[in-house]
Amino acid sequence: PALSSRTEISARRRGLALLAMANDLRDKGIEIANDAVRDDNAGNYEDAINKYCKAAEYLMTATKYEKNPVTLKTIREKSLEYVQRAEALKQGLAGKGAGGKKAGGGGGSKEEEEESEDDDVEPEPLTEEQLAKAEAEMKEELSKLIGMESVKKQMEQLCKQLSLDIRRRAEGHNTLDAIRHMMFTGNPGVGKTTVSRLVARLYHQLGVSAKDSVVEVQKGDLVAGYVNQTAMKTAKKIKEARGGILFVDEAYQLTQALQRGQSDFSGEAIDEMMKVMNETGRKSVTFVFAGYKKEMDEFVQHNAGYLSAMYLGYISAISR
């Protein structure tokens, strides 16, 4: 019995060591992916390509030590997505274009087909006067915010990047789709909702989005008490937010039960949102996930970074 006990302890230690190794490699991969996203946003595409590939290598190495089958599947899928993003950037740099691909499949209704056709019709590009006006209005709106200097700086950078892309397209250059989705962190009252409305207005003024509306939701607006009802409930909110922003407040609540080993249907809501996060066009949804910093860090790290490892290539972080 003593020998058996020692063997069990030894096996448990090995298991914990392998899990720690998998977590370290996964976290390093996510860290590099975060850097890739920043380079991607800043237009440093060559650096972004290298980092996306390196992040994928770390994540795939982590699969050698990861035992959770769900986590394994997620890591493999997202490693592939990072590689695909790197390939898309390479094509963009080579002048072949790197347009986003619509997510999902299957037949849709006539209304959905008409909406899809509308997305294919690009609006007239903004003139220099219109761009200058939009930039001036955004600068004026930001000046009204008290404090929040880091947020103002990031918003100004976002505005300049979008304006630059518009000018380059007008000159006939290929541009890569901007990373639209965001994560806002901070305590209640720091202005997360206010900034999301500014983002909605900026996207609309620059022709990135069809509307300047913000649909605000929490867990209770997305999650139901029965199987499949959550997917339908979430899809309804996504449809309501089309062309604007879906602001998910206290988003960390969607994974808290799962982190405690409890079962609810929050995973269905996350899966439903993930289905459309790669969509592009003026009528696609921009997601903003918000909440306390500590809880949001746990939110994006859950299940191999259920959001960060999957879509941090499409999420930028803003905090006060």
Side-chain angles (χ1 to χ4, degrees):
L3 180 60
S4 176
S5 178
R6 286 197 297 271
T7 302
E8 290 175 0
I9 292 172
S10 178
R12 191 178 302 117
R13 286 175 176 170
R14 282 198 301 272
L16 290 173
L18 291 175
L19 179 60
M21 190 176 297
N23 288 340
D24 288 344
L25 289 166
R26 183 199 68 202
D27 291 344
K28 182 63 176 178
I30 292 172
E31 180 185 340
I32 295 172
N34 291 347
D35 290 339
V37 172
R38 284 189 280 271
D39 285 332
D40 203 340
N41 265 332
N44 302 325
Y45 300 126
E46 290 185 358
D47 289 339
I49 289 168
N50 292 332
K51 290 174 183 177
Y52 278 130
C53 292
K54 192 173 182 180
E57 289 176 6
Y58 269 93
L59 292 176
M60 286 307 298
T61 304
T63 63
K64 297 178 181 178
Y65 309 101
E66 180 60 60
K67 301 302 180 184
N68 187 318
V70 176
T71 302
L72 274 172
K73 182 174 182 292
T74 301
I75 292 176
R76 288 183 179 126
E77 288 176 352
K78 298 315 133 188
S79 296
L80 177 60
E81 287 190 12
Y82 284 138
V83 172
Q84 290 173 337
R85 179 60 178 167
E87 288 300 319
L89 290 174
K90 289 178 184 177
Q91 291 178 10
L93 290 174
K96 298 178 181 178
K101 183 178 180 180
K102 290 281 184 179
S109 65
K110 182 177 180 181
E111 179 183 348
E112 289 171 337
E113 290 175 1
E114 289 174 354
E115 287 180 346
S116 180
E117 290 174 2
D118 289 341
D119 285 343
D120 293 335
V121 180
E122 285 293 327
E124 289 294 321
L126 274 65
T127 64
E128 280 293 333
E129 290 182 0
Q130 290 172 319
L131 279 174
K133 181 181 178 183
E135 290 173 358
E137 289 178 356
M138 179 54 56
K139 191 172 182 179
E140 181 180 352
E141 291 289 342
L142 290 173
S143 68
K144 296 177 183 177
L145 297 177
I146 299 174
M148 304 174 70
E149 297 305 320
S150 64
V151 173
K152 291 177 184 177
K153 184 177 180 181
Q154 291 178 69
M155 285 293 294
E156 288 172 358
Q157 290 174 342
L158 175 63
C159 185
K160 289 179 182 178
Q161 182 62 54
L162 292 172
S163 297
L164 177 61
D165 289 344
I166 291 170
R167 291 187 175 96
R168 287 179 60 80
R169 282 195 292 271
E171 294 170 357
H173 298 292
N174 288 319
T175 61
L176 299 165
D177 291 323
I179 295 174
R180 297 164 59 143
H181 310 305
M182 300 181 178
M183 182 175 74
F184 295 174
T185 61
N187 296 327
V190 298
K192 298 187 293 292
T193 307
T194 300
V195 176
S196 72
R197 293 191 181 117
L198 286 177
V199 172
R201 197 144 58 240
L202 171 63
Y203 282 0
H204 180 61
Q205 287 174 332
L206 297 180
V208 175
S209 296
K211 300 185 296 186
D212 62 358
S213 61
V214 178
V215 175
E216 298 180 37
V217 297
Q218 291 185 339
K219 178 179 177 179
D221 301 306
L222 305 174
V223 180
Y226 301 95
V227 177
N228 295 329
Q229 287 188 345
T230 292
M232 294 172 62
K233 197 173 182 179
T234 303
K236 184 177 180 180
K237 285 297 181 182
I238 290 173
K239 184 176 181 181
E240 183 182 343
R242 282 206 66 181
I245 285 178
L246 184 64
F247 181 86
V248 186
D249 199 14
E250 298 181 350
Y252 56 84
Q253 293 183 354
L254 291 172
T255 57
Q256 282 185 329
L258 298 173
Q259 288 172 332
R260 292 192 295 263
Q262 299 171 352
S263 177
D264 68 2
F265 299 102
S266 299
E268 288 185 24
I270 295 175
D271 289 343
E272 199 66 26
M273 289 187 283
M274 293 305 134
K275 289 179 184 178
V276 299
M277 286 189 77
N278 271 339
E279 290 186 354
T280 59
R282 297 176 67 247
K283 289 191 176 181
S284 60
V285 179
T286 297
F287 291 89
V288 174
F289 299 98
Y292 294 102
K293 185 167 192 320
K294 178 178 178 293
E295 284 79 358
M296 290 303 292
D297 287 344
E298 294 172 353
F299 172 60
V300 297
Q301 290 171 4
H302 174 67
N303 219 1
Y306 199 44
L307 286 172
S308 64
M310 294 174 78
Y311 284 100
L312 198 53
Y314 305 90
I315 297 176
S316 57
I318 294 180
S319 58
R320 186 164 183 175

